[in-house]
């Protein structure tokens, strides 16, 4: 950050927001707490919308560079694929229909095809690279009357004399040189349809990256002695860069390789094998570092979609399974492919659907720094399509899709920022840095844009929705920012109760207010709030820099909610008759809660307090302290500790009725009689067992205090009621020999209460 910002720094301490809002609230309702939403990271800020601003990777918002759309519409053009500057003019190569445009003195001129589609072609006077004109071949490229259609200009550059070199792609490809009003054919690569990259070395030698045979062609500055410098196993060579070490570096499509090629020996090594399938851009920085843009968005398919009317459509494919054609070129031969393709209707390109803005790139792309030994540093990664790369003042400019963003990456500080984002264009496909200005070419739609050195005079940031969860009173907004002299930051806001910013029920934006201190937002009560920051600069030399935004909200006090109340009998012997009362509550204000527990016998109206001022979520209750019966428990939650006696609220819930039964079953009178049945003589004991509240769970008996209890079965064979009848049959020979005996009966109810009864049996 520059010293000019720090010298005029205006810092608003965000930590004071909560205190300020609480003090403001205390006048009206001191019991209500405020919540402060802070945004200070790039991920948080990028959820909003920007116009004329830059969001830095370290969470800053500032004015972007002043942008001017030089050409807003190109006729029948979807993409500007390349931009070069020469003689004070800007040249743009486009698709489809293969146009080259010159922008100079605020005028746009189409210089290719000359005289309209299929105009005359002037060949190089120094030497004819191709064979002489063939009058029997109407498609001979050396014929000045040849008609050229279905063409695409994917690559352009300037030679050492500043003249424009352009690669024409189509049914076959050609390299042309433009100087003034003249155009000459430099040479025509063999076995190629697409020229994706052009570069010039220090000696003026020309190199081409082509497809669909994945070859690198080379010639001298005049197009003489053309040859295949390297024939790769890849489908296309998408990018080229000539290094200070006199090697040629090439980026491939399909395997994502960076080749290091010796043009003298025509031998190559793989310098780097990336995880992405395409090396779309290569750039030698001014300090000598090689940077490679690797992406996985099928850039070639995107480019060649404009050529859908050609014999070979879409992504160029080769005939053999290894990605190579059996047709090879010999070094030093004059390179020519007869044009046997029939001209197609140039209007067919208009039927190809463009990629939509915002379409996902599928996976992350990366900018790598690669040393001459092949050591790699990952400098920048983004979930986007990397299409273009340039350097300005030591920073890398990266043009991306499919959101039409231009990133600036500082390799030294590892800070990146969105420098420019186009509202309509899907991709930024070309970048040229000319005398401190940056020229951008876009696709879908095609536009030519100039970014100046100065900051924009104004930019706006509209935040994502801030959700209070409940209709809230929105308090003050404040920022942590540097605001130089001559700059301003203004804020406006709006609110609503639906999670749709386009819903017409949202309030109108408030009038913008300059931020010199914490500013009341002034929007109506609502669950959702949105703020708009307007950054302004009078001179264009400075910009405000915002590091943090804080928004305060106040939700009116809401009553706590008791969500559940449960009672469970404790099973331990030490806690016989005890119940555990558990409860769960929530408070939308995040208030501190205390609890009160009451009970009453079922059917009564008044409650009896059990405990108050509880902070735990459960207590134990000794059920033996009350008479048997059915009871209800009420739990009341209070937010008094976070409020006043005036504003505090309560919420309560009543449990399901629970049975408290501390009394064992009653064993009725026992009738004894002697009978003779099919098994012989026996003694019968008949009795009833009843319980007031609980079902009978078990009845057992024993004779003469035998330790082994014998289970009895109810008359209806099922233990399921509070009243059961029983018959005990005893064999007098085995169980009751002559003499007196004692029959003991033990009855247990469902909650474990036990009753014993003994019966004297006289023998």
């Amino acid at each position: 950050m520059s010293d000019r910002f720090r010298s005029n720094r205006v810092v608003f301490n965000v930590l004071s927001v909560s205190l300020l809002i609480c003090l403001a609230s205390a006048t009206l309702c001191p019991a209500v707490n405020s919540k402060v939403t802070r945004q200070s990271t790039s991920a948080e800020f990028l959820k909003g919308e920007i116009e004329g601003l830059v969001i830095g990777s370290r969470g800053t918002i500032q004015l972007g560079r002043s942008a001017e759309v030089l050409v807003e519409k190109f006729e029948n053009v979807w993409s500007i694929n390349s931009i070069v500057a020469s003689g004070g003019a800007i040249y743009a190569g486009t698709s489809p229909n293969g146009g080259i445009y010159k922008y100079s003195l605020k005028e746009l001129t189409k210089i290719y095809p000359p005289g309209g589609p299929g105009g005359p072609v002037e060949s190089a006077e120094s030497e004819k690279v191709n064979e002489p004109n063939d009058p029997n071949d109407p498609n001979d490229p050396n014929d000045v009357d040849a008609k050229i259609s279905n063409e695409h200009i994917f690559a352009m550059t300037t030679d050492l004399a500043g003249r424009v070199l352009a690669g024409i792609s189509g049914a076959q490809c050609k390299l042309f040189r433009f100087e003034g009003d003249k155009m000459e054919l430099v040479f025509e690569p063999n076995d190629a349809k697409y020229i994706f990259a052009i570069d010039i070395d220090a000696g003026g030698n020309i190199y081409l990256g082509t497809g669909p045979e994945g070859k690198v062609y080379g010639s001298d500055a005049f197009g003489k002695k053309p040859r295949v410098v390297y024939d790769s196993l890849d489908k296309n060579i998408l990018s080229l860069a000539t290094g200070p070490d006199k090697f040629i570096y090439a980026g491939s499509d399909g395997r994502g390789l960076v080749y290091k090629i010796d043009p003298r020996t025509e031998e190559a090594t793989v310098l780097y094998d990336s995880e992405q399938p395409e090396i779309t851009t290569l750039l030698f920085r001014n300090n000598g570092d090689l940077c490679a843009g690797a992406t996985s968005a099928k850039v070639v398919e995107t480019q060649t979609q404009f050529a859908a009317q050609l014999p070979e459509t879409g992504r160029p494919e080769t005939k053999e399974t290894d990605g190579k054609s059996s047709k090879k070129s010999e070094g030093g031969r004059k390179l020519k492919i007869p044009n046997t393709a029939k001209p197609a209707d140039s209007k067919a390109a208009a039927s190809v659907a463009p990629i939509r803005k915002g379409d996902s790139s599928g996976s992350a792309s990366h900018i790598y720094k690669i040393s001459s030994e092949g050591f790699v540093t990952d400098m920048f990664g983004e979930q986007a399509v990397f299409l273009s790369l340039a350097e300005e003042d030591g920073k890398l400019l990266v043009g991306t899709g499919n959101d039409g963003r231009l990133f600036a990456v500082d390799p030294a500080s590892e800070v990146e920022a969105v420098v420019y984002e186009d509202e309509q264009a899907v991709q930024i496909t070309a970048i040229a840095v000319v005398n401190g200005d940056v020229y951008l070419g876009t696709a879908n739609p095609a536009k030519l844009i100039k970014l100046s050195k100065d900051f924009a005079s104004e930019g706006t940031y509209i935040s994502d929705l801030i959700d209070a969860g409940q209709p809230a009173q929105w308090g003050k907004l404040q920022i942590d920012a540097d605001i130089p002299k001559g700059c301003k930051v203004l804020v406006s806001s709006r609110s609503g109760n639906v999670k749709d910013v386009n819903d017409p029920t949202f309030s109108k934006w408030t009038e913008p207010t300059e931020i010199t201190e914490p500013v009341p937002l002034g929007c109506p009560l609502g669950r959702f709030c949105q703020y708009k920051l307007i950054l302004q600069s009078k001179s264009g030399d400075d910009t405000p820099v915002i590091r943090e935004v804080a928004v305060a909200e106040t939700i009116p006090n809401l009553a706590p909610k008791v969500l559940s109340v449960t009672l469970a009998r404790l099973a331990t012997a030490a806690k016989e008759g005890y119940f555990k009362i558990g409860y769960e509550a929530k408070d939308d204000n995040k208030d501190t809660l205390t609890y009160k527990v009451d009970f009453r016998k079922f059917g009564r109206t008044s409650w009896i307090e059990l405990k108050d001022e509880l902070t735990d979520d459960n207590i134990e209750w000794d059920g033996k302290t009350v008479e048997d019966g059915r009871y209800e428990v009420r739990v009341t939650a209070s937010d008094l500790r976070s409020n006043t006696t005036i504003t505090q609220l309560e919420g309560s819930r009543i449990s399901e009725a629970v049975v408290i039964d501390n009394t064992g079953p009653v064993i009725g009178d026992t009738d004894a009689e002697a009978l003779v049945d099919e098994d012989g003589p026996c003694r019968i004991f008949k009795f009833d067992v009843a319980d007031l509240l609980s079902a009978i769970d078990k009845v057992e008996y024993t004779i003469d205090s035998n330790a082994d209890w014998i289970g009895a079965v109810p008359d209806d064979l099922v233990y399921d009621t509070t009243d059961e009848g029983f018959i005990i049959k005893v064999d007098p020979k085995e169980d009751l020999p002559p003499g007196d005996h004692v029959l003991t009966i033990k009855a247990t109810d469902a909650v474990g209460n036990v009753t014993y009864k003994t019966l004297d049996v006289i023998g």
Side-chain angles (χ1 to χ4, degrees):
M1 186 176 298
S2 65
D3 293 337
R4 65 188 178 196
F5 295 153
R6 297 192 181 279
S7 61
N8 298 289
R9 186 178 183 191
V10 178
V11 179
F12 302 141
N13 186 358
V14 180
L15 295 177
S16 65
V17 177
S18 180
L19 176 60
L20 288 170
I21 301 303
C22 286
L23 290 175
S25 301
T27 306
L28 301 175
C29 49
V32 179
N33 291 328
S34 295
K35 175 186 174 184
V36 177
T37 298
R38 292 181 172 85
Q39 297 174 335
S40 60
T41 67
S42 61
E44 292 167 337
F45 287 137
L46 284 171
K47 293 178 182 178
E49 298 179 5
I50 61 171
E51 181 179 352
L53 299 177
V54 173
I55 296 178
S57 61
R58 294 185 179 178
T60 57
I61 302 176
Q62 67 180 65
L63 288 169
R65 296 167 65 162
S66 178
E68 178 185 2
V69 179
L70 303 179
V71 182
E72 190 169 8
K73 184 178 181 180
F74 289 80
E75 185 177 358
N76 296 324
V77 170
W78 287 356
S79 174
I80 297 178
N81 303 317
S82 56
I83 299 175
V84 295
S86 176
I90 301 298
Y91 294 81
T94 68
S95 285
N97 304 319
I100 299 177
Y101 295 81
K102 176 183 178 181
Y103 181 85
S104 178
L105 301 177
K106 298 185 178 181
E107 291 188 0
L108 184 70
T109 306
K110 189 173 184 179
I111 66 170
Y112 180 86
V121 177
E122 179 181 339
S123 300
E125 298 179 357
S126 57
E127 178 178 338
K128 299 292 184 182
V129 173
N130 299 288
E131 298 174 0
N133 294 348
D134 182 359
N136 297 319
D137 183 2
N139 295 309
D140 189 343
N142 291 309
D143 184 353
V144 295
D145 294 322
K147 302 296 182 182
I148 305 173
S149 61
N150 304 317
E151 295 173 338
H152 313 270
I153 290 80
F154 294 135
M156 296 195 303
T157 191
T158 55
D159 62 15
L160 296 184
R163 297 170 296 186
V164 175
L165 291 173
I168 313 297
S169 299
Q172 63 189 75
C173 60
K174 313 161 193 68
L175 180 68
F176 288 104
R177 178 184 284 116
F178 295 83
E179 183 175 11
D181 296 331
K182 295 183 179 181
M183 177 179 70
E184 62 179 10
L185 177 64
V186 179
F187 76 86
E188 179 184 356
N190 192 29
D191 293 340
K193 293 185 178 182
Y194 304 96
I195 298 175
F196 290 115
I198 308 173
D199 205 7
I200 308 293
D201 69 9
N205 297 307
I206 304 170
Y207 298 95
L208 308 179
T210 69
E213 297 294 326
K215 296 178 181 179
V216 176
Y217 290 87
S219 76
D220 64 13
F222 303 100
K224 298 179 180 179
K225 300 179 181 179
R227 70 191 194 281
V228 176
V229 177
Y230 184 67
D231 188 355
S232 75
L233 295 177
D234 297 276
K235 298 176 182 178
N236 305 285
I237 298 298
L238 300 181
S239 52
L240 288 176
T242 55
D245 54 3
K246 299 182 179 180
F247 282 84
I248 303 166
Y249 295 83
S252 77
D253 160 46
R255 296 188 294 168
L257 304 179
V258 177
Y259 290 101
K260 182 178 181 180
I261 305 169
D262 188 337
R264 294 159 295 182
T265 63
E266 299 182 0
E267 294 179 348
T269 59
V270 173
L271 188 65
Y272 180 57
D273 182 357
S274 73
E275 295 182 359
Q276 293 72 36
E278 293 151 1
I279 303 296
T280 54
T281 57
L282 286 171
L283 171 71
F284 271 100
R285 296 180 60 206
N286 293 331
N287 65 1
D289 290 341
L290 174 63
C291 296
T295 193
S296 56
K298 296 186 178 180
V299 172
V300 175
E301 184 174 339
T302 301
Q303 291 175 323
T304 58
Q305 68 169 316
F306 302 118
Q309 69 276 21
L310 294 178
E312 194 166 308
T313 62
R315 188 185 187 90
E317 297 288 345
T318 53
K319 298 179 180 179
E320 300 189 5
T321 57
D322 63 352
K324 292 303 305 167
S325 170
S326 58
K327 189 174 183 179
K328 296 291 181 180
S329 301
E330 297 179 6
R333 288 182 57 186
K334 298 181 185 297
L335 306 173
K336 178 178 184 295
I337 299 178
N339 188 351
T340 59
K342 295 181 180 180
D345 184 2
S346 62
K347 295 181 181 179
S351 64
V352 183
I355 296 174
R356 295 174 300 176
K357 186 174 179 66
D359 282 351
S360 173
S361 63
S363 60
S365 299
H366 295 267
I367 300 295
Y368 298 110
K369 181 176 72 174
I370 309 174
S371 71
S372 58
E373 296 83 9
F375 296 107
V376 176
T377 302
D378 191 344
M379 302 174 64
F380 173 59
E382 183 70 20
Q383 198 80 14
V385 183
F386 287 180
L387 299 169
S388 48
L389 186 64
E391 183 181 17
E392 181 193 32
D393 297 333
K395 295 181 180 180
L396 294 175
L397 300 178
V398 186
T400 71
N402 292 321
D403 285 313
R405 288 178 175 178
L406 179 70
F407 286 85
V409 181
D410 188 340
S413 63
E414 299 183 353
V415 172
E416 63 264 7
V418 178
V419 177
Y420 175 79
E421 181 174 358
D422 197 275
E423 294 183 1
Q424 292 86 29
V426 175
Q427 298 111 346
I428 295 178
T429 46
I431 307 172
V433 180
V434 183
N435 299 325
D437 294 322
V438 177
Y439 293 86
L440 305 178
T442 70
N444 298 313
K447 295 190 290 185
L448 180 63
I449 300 164
K450 176 184 175 182
L451 301 182
S452 70
K453 296 179 182 179
D454 297 331
F455 293 112
S457 60
E458 183 173 294
T460 59
Y461 174 78
I462 300 178
S463 73
D464 193 17
L465 291 178
I466 301 174
D467 185 2
Q470 296 281 349
Q473 183 66 50
W474 297 93
K476 295 184 179 181
L477 177 143
Q478 39 181 38
I479 58 176
D480 181 0
D482 295 333
I483 305 179
K485 187 177 181 180
C487 297
K488 291 182 180 180
V489 178
L490 298 90
V491 64
S492 117
S493 64
R494 64 176 185 163
S495 58
N497 286 310
V498 290
K499 197 175 184 179
D500 180 3
V501 294
N502 298 314
D503 193 281
T505 60
F506 254 81
S507 68
K508 294 181 180 180
W509 288 102
T510 60
E511 286 296 320
T513 303
E514 183 178 359
I515 303 177
T516 57
E517 59 183 6
V519 176
L521 291 177
C523 53
L525 189 79
R527 172 178 172 178
F528 299 97
C529 177
Q530 197 173 28
Y531 65 84
K532 180 194 298 183
L533 298 178
I534 304 169
L535 282 67
Q536 296 178 344
S537 175
K538 288 185 178 180
S539 64
D541 294 330
D542 294 307
T543 175
V545 179
I546 299 173
R547 287 178 294 275
E548 186 172 50
V549 179
V551 177
E553 71 203 44
T554 299
I555 298 178
N557 193 31
L558 302 173
K561 297 178 182 178
V562 181
L563 304 178
S564 64
V565 179
T566 59
L567 278 78
R569 184 184 294 269
L570 297 179
T572 61
K575 296 290 185 177
E576 183 179 356
Y578 275 75
F579 289 82
K580 181 178 180 180
I581 303 174
Y583 36 88
E584 180 184 1
K586 65 173 292 188
D587 187 275
D588 290 333
N589 302 104
K590 308 300 181 184
D591 290 338
T592 300
L593 301 180
T594 58
Y595 304 97
K596 177 184 177 184
V597 179
D598 301 314
F599 71 92
R600 69 181 178 187
K601 197 168 186 179
F602 190 76
R604 295 179 181 174
T605 57
S606 60
W607 292 93
I608 300 172
E609 180 180 312
L610 181 61
K611 285 190 178 181
D612 197 2
E613 295 294 322
L614 297 169
T615 56
D616 293 333
D617 60 1
N618 66 88
I619 63 168
E620 292 182 356
W621 178 29
D622 186 358
K624 296 190 298 295
T625 59
V626 295
E627 65 177 336
D628 289 358
R630 298 171 65 84
Y631 286 83
E632 296 174 313
V633 171
R634 181 182 66 183
V635 175
T636 302
S638 170
D639 61 9
L640 177 60
R641 291 194 179 181
S642 297
N643 289 269
T644 68
T645 54
I646 298 175
T647 61
Q648 70 93 20
L649 294 172
E650 295 179 344
S652 63
R653 180 176 288 272
I654 300 173
S655 72
E656 296 293 333
V658 66
V659 173
I660 294 181
D661 182 4
N662 296 312
T663 304
V666 176
I667 302 174
D669 294 337
T670 304
D671 295 330
E673 57 181 293
L675 296 175
V676 176
D677 61 13
E678 63 273 13
D679 296 327
C682 63
R683 297 288 297 272
I684 299 297
F685 301 90
K686 295 181 180 181
F687 58 92
D688 293 326
V689 178
D691 193 277
L692 183 62
L693 298 170
S694 304
I696 306 303
D697 181 64
K698 182 170 55 175
V699 171
E700 301 169 288
Y701 70 93
T702 185
I703 298 174
D704 297 336
S705 298
N706 193 313
D708 296 327
W709 290 88
I710 301 171
V713 178
D715 293 344
D716 60 2
L717 305 181
V718 180
Y719 285 101
D720 58 358
T721 64
T722 59
D723 190 351
E724 300 282 1
F726 294 88
I727 297 177
I728 298 175
K729 184 173 70 172
V730 178
D731 186 342
K733 292 182 180 180
E734 296 183 3
D735 299 325
L736 296 173
D740 295 338
H741 301 279
V742 176
L743 175 66
T744 303
I745 300 172
K746 178 172 70 173
T748 307
D749 63 17
V751 297
N753 296 310
V754 179
T755 300
Y756 294 88
K757 183 175 183 180
T758 61
L759 177 65
D760 293 332
V761 180
I762 300 174

